[in-house]
Amino acid sequence: MKLLTKGFVGVITLLLLFSSVEIMAQSDNDINELIRNAESHYKNKRNNKALESFLHVLELDSTNYTALHRVSLLYNMIGFQFEDEDQQMDHYIKAKDYAEKALQYHEGKPEAHYVYSIATGRISKKSRPRTRVGYANEIKKHAEKALELNPDHAGAWHVLGVWHHEASTLNFAERTAVRMFGGLPEASKEKAEEAFNKAISLDNNNILFYLDFAKFYEEMGSDEQAINMLEKAVALEPQRDGDEKHLEISKNFLASLK
């Protein structure tokens, strides 16, 4: 009788184990399917749908690497579309929150550092000088960390280009504020140009890369090179949801230089 009881318990244990494994496998399948759908929405310029799907992934797996960095990136991209600054900031703050979660669970992966640098950069532009100095250091640190982990990360090279451009072209009041609030790491126009060129060499279909490079050249007094970048930008087809706005800005910028 004892042997029968032990055997029965063993069978039940095995059934529960198999059931648990099957449930886990089904859950993994559900998550993978959601990620495939979300990536499809993202590639087809349906950012709100992509965001909804990635958030659903996080309901099932709160530490999922792909979902965390995609949600952060999407909140940034969607926020940029708003004209209202409060709506923009609300999205940028959410983007930073998810980037922080990505770093918490996946510090050794490049996209976690990349999306953190973007979210911090967006918030920085709307912050007071003291806060901006602290953010500037964070932006550079995380962009460089992303490149340490993936030297061919086009987006991180772009972030670094923007950082060097802005940090090396501060006006007198901004330089004074920077010194008062602790200073910045070394920045240079040469490094800005190098980083922009590297970003474009890795992704030559990104309208924003050309637009920001054109802004750099225009501020350097090199209108001819700025026009060259803008002509390349306006010749491109929108690749991402939000590129239409970058394209419109590029066209208007180009017209102002001609």
Side-chain angles (χ1 to χ4, degrees):
M1 186 66 180
K2 287 183 179 179
L3 287 174
L4 286 173
T5 302
K6 286 182 179 179
F8 180 74
V9 171
V11 170
I12 294 298
T13 301
L14 283 173
L15 287 174
L16 289 172
L17 178 61
F18 288 141
S19 177
S20 176
V21 169
E22 186 177 349
I23 289 169
M24 288 174 64
Q26 183 61 47
S27 177
D28 287 342
N29 288 337
D30 291 343
I31 288 172
N32 291 334
E33 181 63 26
L34 280 169
I35 289 175
R36 282 193 291 271
N37 289 336
E39 291 288 6
S40 176
H41 288 312
Y42 177 71
K43 290 175 182 175
N44 287 287
K45 299 187 288 183
R46 297 188 294 264
N47 279 355
N48 285 298
K49 285 284 189 181
L51 178 62
E52 182 181 332
S53 294
F54 280 122
L55 286 171
H56 193 181
V57 172
L58 292 176
E59 289 175 4
L60 300 173
D61 177 7
S62 62
T63 67
N64 186 277
Y65 173 57
T66 300
L68 284 171
H69 73 72
R70 280 292 196 225
V71 166
S72 178
L73 183 64
L74 285 161
Y75 269 124
N76 269 308
M77 294 173 72
I78 294 168
F80 180 73
Q81 302 274 21
F82 290 108
E83 298 297 331
D84 181 80
E85 290 198 1
D86 289 338
Q87 288 179 299
Q88 283 186 344
M89 185 58 84
D90 178 62
H91 279 67
Y92 297 157
I93 289 170
K94 288 178 181 176
K96 190 168 182 289
D97 287 343
Y98 280 98
E100 287 172 348
K101 290 177 183 176
L103 281 175
Q104 178 184 350
Y105 297 113
H106 308 284
E107 188 177 357
K109 296 183 180 178
E111 295 301 327
H113 293 276
Y114 171 59
V115 295
Y116 185 88
S117 71
I118 296 177
T120 306
R122 296 287 194 192
I123 293 172
S124 174
K125 290 181 184 296
K126 299 182 180 299
S127 302
R128 288 184 253 179
R130 180 191 295 273
T131 308
R132 289 185 68 183
V133 171
Y135 280 148
N137 285 283
E138 288 289 293
I139 295 164
K140 184 172 187 285
K141 170 184 158 186
H142 286 280
E144 288 180 336
K145 183 63 178 179
L147 290 170
E148 179 186 320
L149 294 165
N150 177 9
D152 292 331
H153 197 300
W157 279 112
H158 169 248
V159 170
L160 205 57
V162 172
W163 188 92
H164 277 287
H165 169 204
E166 294 181 350
S168 64
T169 56
L170 299 173
N171 60 38
F172 177 76
E174 289 169 331
R175 288 197 302 272
T176 301
V178 164
R179 284 195 295 271
M180 288 174 59
F181 301 137
L184 292 175
E186 182 182 350
S188 75
K189 301 175 182 67
E190 293 76 17
K191 287 183 178 178
E193 186 173 29
E194 178 186 338
F196 281 129
N197 275 317
K198 183 67 174 178
I200 287 172
S201 74
L202 293 166
D203 181 1
N204 61 7
N205 289 310
N206 194 304
I207 296 170
L208 180 60
F209 291 1
Y210 290 104
L211 172 58
D212 282 341
F213 206 177
K215 290 177 181 177
F216 166 77
Y217 276 133
E218 191 270 340
E219 195 160 342
M220 294 300 99
S222 303
D223 285 4
E224 185 176 340
Q225 288 173 295
I227 288 170
N228 180 42
M229 288 298 135
L230 291 168
E231 286 178 340
K232 290 178 179 178
V234 300
L236 294 173
E237 292 293 326
Q239 302 291 320
R240 303 161 184 81
D241 195 0
D243 272 356
E244 290 82 0
K245 185 173 181 178
H246 296 138
L247 190 59
E248 181 184 358
I249 294 170
S250 298
K251 289 177 179 177
N252 292 335
F253 190 10
L254 181 60
S256 73
L257 293 177
K258 284 188 168 182

